[in-house]
Amino acid sequence: MPWIAIIVGLVAGLGVWGILDQVQSQQVDKIFGQELQVRLDLRARESLIRFDRYLSNHAATTRLLANHRRLSEYLEPLFWSEDEAVTPVVYKDFRPNWLPDFFDRDALTPPSQVLLTDPQGRVREIFQAGEDPVPPELATQVPASFLDSREVRSVIERFGERLSLLTSDAVEDAGGYNMGYLVVLVPVNDAFLAASQRGLDVGRAAVALIDSDDQHILASIDSRTMPPGSSLADWNAIYVITSQSLPEYEGSDSNLLFATFVPHASVEKMSRHVRIFERRQRFIAAAVFIVVFTAVIYLVSSRLNKVLKRMTRFSQRALGIAEPGFHRDGNQLLLLEEWIQHFTQLVLTAREEMSRKHQAEMRESEALKAAMMEASLDAIVTLDHGGRVIEFNPAAERLFGLERQEALGAVFAEHFLPDVTRAAFKRLLDRSQHLHREPLGRGELLALRPDGSEIPVEISIVLIELEDERFYTLYIHNISSRKRAEQEIKNLARFASESPNPILRVTAEGLIVYANNASRPLLLAWEAEAGDRLPEDWRSEVARALETGQPLEQELDLPDQVYSLLFAPIRDLGYVNIYARDITAVRRAEQESRQHQAELVHVCRLSTMGEVATGMAHELNQPLSAIVNYANGCSRRLQSGLGQTDELIGAMRQIAAQAQRAGEIIRRLRALVGKQPPLRAQTDLNHLVREVCSFLEFETNRVGVQIELALAPEDIPVRVDLVQIEQVLLNLAGNALDALEERPEDQRHLCIRTTTDNGEARVVVEDSGPGIASERILSLFDAFVTTKEGGMGMGLAISQTIIENHEGRIWAESVLGQGSSFHVTLPLSAPNEEVGEPDETPDASCCPLTDH
């Protein structure tokens, strides 16, 4: 029987193969044709996917640019009015600071232009990257069809003869306020298509964009091989062309098709290799088929033979058995039946177990859903296909002020929305049914409470489709707080334009990118407008502020006004904010204050001179007495006839010298008392000290003390107002003499020292008086603070003002019970200036001082 089976198998195999060979050849050709078409479609789809991903990369890069920190901080102080005339600011020779270079980093085709618009689509700023100008359709206004405030808008559009990719996204400032749109234009040319198909062998396939109306090529991956403008029919003899629509860009007026070109030579080469391979495989398959068919016939016949033998043996054993036993070595058919019964029981058991598990999971899912509904901070409402409420969570009860049982069964649009928003809600429901859109139905509406009050909410709708039912889940978020915050942000955004003080923003190159209405006087003074550059000297101040990173303050004098300008640098964004303040009234007040101060100094000087009037009278009495004595002596000699000519001439010379001395005393007194404008001159500080001591001769004799002078051996050149410095020294020395009256005469010491140190001249007036308490040292130079019974309390305050006006310092040091010292420092004058010499050195007889 096995040999007969082999022969039968060979004959049957050859016969069956002869029939199948004819059918197989036809099917192979058909399958090859179908497979070839599938491969061509696959290659075209892969090319389209690459192109679509490349466009998506551009859209993602545009979103990164629109949400970048530089741009949001750049827009923070700006406010674009809807009524003002717009002249776009063009960046042609440099990239603006708010535009990072993401395109080079991501290996994308660089844009030809980047536009920054306001919310109405009016172009505010333009970055010109190439030589091609901005299309006239976009030069001043970007059409609303290219803009979308909720998502990135990406479309391929034909502008004139150029084909460009236009991507746009909404931009916000650092506070989250919508400021407009960022629009990126990228030329669609050879480089663009080559970059989108990176890794594609142009020799094996090519891609192009086709105008579906006239079937002409608009752009190709190799314009030299397939020039734009050629007809698609011109290439049918060379390529197998697969055209596909661009559903993502249905909003474009160009009605483009994406075409993939595969050379016929490549297709024929593939067909030839397939045929050769098919013949080889057919021969192998024929041999395998015959062998396998013969082997199967042999094995089946062998198996049937064994089964028949077993059935025979079982029949013989079963004749004397009433009930056969099922053992492992028994009849295999019965064993198989037993196994099938056992398997059926296991299946039933598993089915029951799966049913119980499924029910448990359903209960857990319902419990989880209920917990989520309870814990959600946002209102969640579920509607049936008719718009009636079938679920209402606790957050919805709090939001609408309505119990769940009262809300169930109500038509949501009629009970919870005012009339003005119901149409918008219906559009959201319709939009949620388009599952390919992201996000789904989402928008801002007004919700209605039972008391009639309206609240702003954001609604997101998710469609739930079952086999025979449709539901809608509404996620409702109360945005009242956000709306109030947005209104506050809008008010803050208008702060700069509403400010009565000038506010400007200037780039590192000195370009004025923003100026509010109050900046008009500054712009007129600089002869500039927004978008122009500052004058050269002010551009250097901007550069210095950015370099140091510290605020700088300058003043701008106009014919009728004086402005204080504060340069506040923002180094990370590369611009400077200029805050101006009108200080005209302050400068006028300072000038009036200086005039009042000069008058007060004069009054104080008169008061001081009143104190030394007695001493000056005594000093004048000496030369006058000498004149009278010499005149009487000459008269007596002339009357007696005893006077010699030489003696009389000598007496007359003494009279003239004493008269000249009295005149000099009167001149110094008038200079000290007289009211005159401040006049600084070069003098020797040692000479001023001696001059002051001559005024105090009477006071020193009255107190019983001699002023000890420790003056520097060389001249100390200073450039000062002689009268004012003499007034300060006279005041300090007079205070020291008043303090010494409280000490015994043998303990009274007054010393005046002069030195130079580090480019400063110093005068120290030291006394051995009772000293000054430490708590009074701090207020010693305050106005109207005095320890004298009849004093005004202005002497030291005015002295401090005089010294500070001379760019010097004055301070006091004291040890209680041991005395006090007052220090005065003044800047030394330039070495090349000539030091003025005193007119006359006081005679030792009239100023009994001691120099050391």
Side-chain angles (χ1 to χ4, degrees):
M1 186 174 178
W3 291 108
I4 296 174
I6 292 174
I7 295 172
V8 172
L10 289 173
V11 174
L14 291 173
V16 173
W17 175 252
I19 298 172
L20 294 178
D21 183 65
Q22 299 298 323
V23 179
Q24 186 180 15
S25 298
Q26 298 176 1
Q27 292 298 323
V28 166
D29 293 337
K30 182 178 179 181
I31 293 172
F32 173 75
Q34 295 175 352
E35 182 66 21
L36 178 60
Q37 185 62 39
V38 170
R39 289 183 178 273
L40 292 176
D41 293 340
L42 180 60
R43 177 167 294 180
R45 187 178 300 276
E46 290 176 351
S47 300
L48 180 59
I49 290 174
R50 290 194 190 97
F51 184 75
D52 186 63
R53 288 180 178 174
Y54 192 68
L55 297 182
S56 299
N57 291 339
H58 274 279
T61 302
T62 300
R63 167 145 288 187
L64 285 176
L65 293 175
N67 292 274
H68 198 269
R69 177 177 58 86
R70 287 189 185 179
L71 182 56
S72 61
E73 292 181 353
Y74 173 77
L75 296 172
E76 174 66 20
L78 298 183
F79 177 75
W80 290 328
S81 173
E82 297 181 4
D83 302 328
E84 65 178 342
V86 177
T87 300
V89 178
V90 180
Y91 303 90
K92 188 172 183 181
D93 299 329
F94 59 93
R95 181 186 296 274
N97 292 323
W98 50 262
L99 183 61
D101 192 4
F102 280 126
F103 291 94
D104 291 343
R105 187 191 68 182
D106 297 336
L108 298 177
T109 302
S112 57
Q113 290 91 18
V114 179
L115 312 179
L116 188 60
T117 75
D118 57 17
Q120 291 74 37
R122 294 179 296 177
V123 179
R124 295 286 184 165
E125 298 188 14
I126 301 175
F127 168 57
Q128 182 72 32
E131 297 298 331
D132 294 333
V134 179
E137 298 88 338
L138 306 176
T140 59
Q141 177 75 36
V142 178
S145 59
F146 296 148
L147 304 175
D148 194 329
S149 61
R150 296 182 296 273
E151 58 187 8
V152 179
R153 181 74 169 138
S154 180
V155 64
I156 296 179
E157 186 67 22
R158 188 191 305 181
F159 299 102
E161 296 299 324
R162 291 189 301 171
L163 199 63
S164 300
L165 170 64
L166 186 148
T167 56
S168 66
D169 193 14
V171 296
E172 299 177 348
D173 58 13
Y177 176 67
N178 183 21
M179 294 295 293
Y181 301 92
L182 182 73
V183 181
V184 179
L185 284 176
V186 182
V188 179
N189 49 23
D190 301 16
F192 185 92
L193 292 176
S196 68
Q197 303 296 322
R198 186 173 290 108
L200 180 65
D201 187 358
V202 180
R204 299 182 59 186
V207 295
L209 291 176
I210 309 299
D211 189 337
S212 63
D213 295 331
D214 56 6
Q215 295 294 305
H216 280 76
I217 296 178
L218 299 178
S220 66
I221 195 170
D222 188 355
S223 60
R224 293 176 299 178
T225 304
M226 291 182 292
S230 59
S231 176
L232 194 64
D234 298 339
W235 305 99
N236 287 331
I238 304 174
Y239 296 96
V240 177
I241 303 174
T242 304
S243 299
Q244 304 172 86
S245 62
L246 299 174
E248 296 297 331
Y249 310 99
E250 295 174 352
S252 173
D253 296 334
S254 299
N255 196 12
L256 302 178
L257 294 176
F258 184 83
T260 304
F261 296 74
V262 179
H264 282 300
S266 177
V267 175
E268 292 173 357
K269 183 178 179 180
M270 184 188 303
S271 177
R272 185 169 56 255
H273 285 294
V274 169
R275 289 191 182 96
I276 295 173
F277 176 79
E278 186 268 333
R279 292 192 188 99
R280 184 184 303 112
Q281 293 300 319
R282 188 185 302 174
F283 175 79
I284 297 174
V288 173
F289 185 86
I290 294 173
V291 173
V292 171
F293 196 88
T294 303
V296 169
I297 294 296
Y298 176 82
L299 292 177
V300 171
S301 64
S302 177
R303 188 65 178 171
L304 288 175
N305 190 33
K306 290 181 179 180
V307 172
L308 291 174
K309 290 180 179 180
R310 289 177 180 175
M311 292 177 63
T312 301
R313 290 195 298 269
F314 176 76
S315 300
Q316 292 175 356
R317 289 195 300 268
L319 291 176
I321 300 175
E323 187 173 329
F326 297 97
H327 303 286
R328 185 60 55 187
D329 55 352
N331 186 286
Q332 295 300 314
L333 293 176
L334 296 178
L335 292 176
L336 179 61
E337 181 182 0
E338 180 185 3
W339 181 83
I340 291 175
Q341 292 177 356
H342 181 66
F343 177 77
T344 302
Q345 186 64 32
L346 291 177
V347 170
L348 293 175
T349 304
R351 181 180 178 182
E352 293 177 358
E353 183 66 24
M354 290 296 292
S355 177
R356 289 193 298 270
K357 184 177 181 181
H358 179 68
Q359 292 176 1
E361 290 178 353
M362 287 292 292
R363 288 192 295 271
E364 292 177 0
S365 176
E366 290 295 330
L368 180 60
K369 176 183 175 182
M372 293 176 61
M373 295 281 287
E374 293 287 336
S376 175
L377 298 178
D378 290 335
I380 301 177
V381 180
T382 303
L383 310 180
D384 60 12
H385 66 280
R388 296 184 179 276
V389 178
I390 60 175
E391 189 55 64
F392 206 73
N393 76 332
E397 294 178 352
R398 294 190 296 269
L399 178 64
F400 292 103
L402 194 66
E403 295 293 334
R404 178 176 180 274
Q405 296 300 326
E406 299 177 4
L408 294 180
V411 179
F412 182 81
E414 296 178 359
H415 288 78
F416 300 102
L417 296 177
D419 296 339
V420 295
T421 61
R422 291 175 185 174
F425 177 72
K426 185 178 184 305
R427 288 194 297 269
L428 289 179
L429 284 177
D430 296 338
R431 190 168 184 266
S432 67
Q433 299 177 17
H434 298 279
L435 300 180
H436 65 280
R437 295 188 179 179
E438 288 293 341
L440 302 179
R442 175 178 295 179
E444 295 181 1
L445 301 174
L446 290 176
L448 184 66
R449 286 180 170 174
D451 59 1
S453 61
E454 297 180 353
I455 52 175
V457 297
E458 183 178 27
I459 295 182
S460 179
I461 303 176
V462 179
L463 175 65
I464 303 175
E465 287 188 326
L466 301 180
E467 293 181 358
D468 54 354
E469 193 63 60
R470 173 180 292 177
F471 300 96
Y472 300 94
T473 299
L474 278 57
Y475 298 90
I476 307 174
H477 179 65
N478 189 348
I479 58 174
S480 301
S481 300
R482 192 181 80 187
K483 288 296 184 181
R484 289 193 295 269
E486 290 177 355
Q487 186 61 38
E488 290 294 331
I489 291 172
K490 291 179 181 178
N491 295 337
L492 291 175
R494 291 195 296 268
F495 174 77
S497 60
E498 295 173 352
S499 174
N501 294 327
I503 299 176
L504 302 94
R505 172 170 289 180
V506 183
T507 64
E509 295 77 15
L511 183 66
I512 304 173
V513 298
Y514 175 77
N516 66 349
N517 295 331
S519 306
R520 179 54 52 184
L522 302 183
L523 297 177
L524 292 176
W526 290 331
E527 297 180 356
E529 295 291 339
D532 298 339
R533 293 182 182 272
L534 289 175
E536 179 63 30
D537 51 346
W538 293 102
R539 288 205 301 267
S540 61
E541 293 297 327
V542 171
R544 187 158 65 95
L546 284 174
E547 180 180 357
T548 60
Q550 299 295 327
L552 298 179
E553 192 167 356
Q554 297 290 344
E555 289 189 5
L556 175 61
D557 291 331
L558 301 180
D560 299 326
Q561 291 174 297
V562 180
Y563 283 95
S564 174
L565 305 183
L566 177 63
F567 293 77
I570 311 297
R571 298 185 68 182
D572 54 345
L573 296 180
Y575 62 78
V576 173
N577 289 336
I578 302 178
Y579 303 97
R581 182 168 53 93
D582 189 348
I583 59 172
T584 306
V586 176
R587 289 292 176 264
R588 290 175 181 171
E590 290 178 353
Q591 184 177 1
E592 294 176 358
S593 176
R594 285 193 292 269
Q595 293 176 354
H596 295 329
Q597 178 182 337
E599 295 177 358
L600 186 60
V601 169
H602 175 67
V603 171
C604 184
R605 190 158 58 244
L606 290 177
S607 176
T608 304
M609 288 308 303
E611 297 178 2
V612 299
T614 304
M616 297 303 297
H618 175 74
E619 186 175 355
L620 284 173
N621 189 47
Q622 289 183 352
L624 291 177
S625 299
I627 290 173
V628 171
N629 291 334
Y630 280 117
N632 290 334
C634 290
S635 177
R636 286 194 300 270
R637 293 196 179 207
L638 289 174
Q639 290 176 357
S640 62
L642 299 177
Q644 300 295 325
T645 302
D646 294 338
E647 293 178 352
L648 293 176
I649 291 173
M652 296 301 293
R653 287 177 177 174
Q654 289 293 332
I655 291 173
Q658 294 299 324
Q660 185 177 2
R661 177 185 174 190
E664 179 64 21
I665 293 174
I666 294 173
R667 183 192 66 78
R668 293 202 308 270
L669 183 61
R670 291 184 61 188
L672 186 64
V673 178
K675 183 179 181 182
Q676 58 187 8
L679 179 63
R680 297 191 182 187
Q682 187 86 354
T683 187
D684 178 19
L685 185 60
N686 292 335
H687 169 69
L688 291 180
V689 173
R690 294 189 182 96
E691 189 86 0
V692 169
C693 291
S694 66
F695 287 121
L696 296 173
E697 179 182 0
F698 178 79
E699 289 294 323
T700 55
N701 293 334
R702 182 181 63 81
V703 177
V705 64
Q706 287 188 347
I707 300 177
E708 179 181 355
L709 296 181
L711 306 181
E714 69 280 356
D715 292 343
I716 303 178
V718 291
R719 193 170 189 83
V720 296
D721 187 307
L722 306 181
V723 175
Q724 290 186 355
I725 298 303
E726 286 181 350
Q727 178 182 353
V728 172
L729 297 178
L730 189 64
N731 192 0
L732 296 180
N735 289 343
L737 291 174
D738 292 341
L740 290 176
E741 292 186 18
E742 301 180 13
R743 307 286 287 184
E745 288 192 9
D746 58 344
Q747 298 180 7
R748 298 174 182 176
H749 300 286
L750 177 60
C751 177
I752 301 178
R753 293 186 288 107
T754 61
T755 58
T756 59
D757 185 20
N758 293 330
E760 290 183 337
R762 176 174 295 188
V763 179
V764 182
V765 180
E766 297 178 340
D767 64 72
S768 60
I772 305 171
S774 58
E775 61 271 10
R776 297 187 59 187
I777 288 288
L778 299 177
S779 61
L780 198 60
F781 293 92
D782 294 343
F784 308 108
V785 175
T786 181
T787 59
K788 299 179 182 179
E789 182 176 350
M792 297 174 58
M794 294 298 295
L796 290 179
I798 294 178
S799 298
Q800 185 182 42
T801 303
I802 293 173
I803 296 302
E804 290 179 350
N805 288 339
H806 283 75
E807 300 178 359
R809 295 182 299 127
I810 181 171
W811 71 93
E813 297 177 357
S814 179
V815 178
L816 198 62
Q818 298 183 12
S820 304
S821 62
F822 286 80
H823 301 255
V824 176
T825 63
L826 294 168
L828 291 174
S829 62
N832 56 354
E833 296 185 12
E834 183 178 356
V835 179
E837 295 292 337
D839 294 338
E840 179 181 356
T841 304
D843 194 276
S845 62
C846 68
C847 186
L849 306 175
T850 304
D851 284 348
H852 295 282

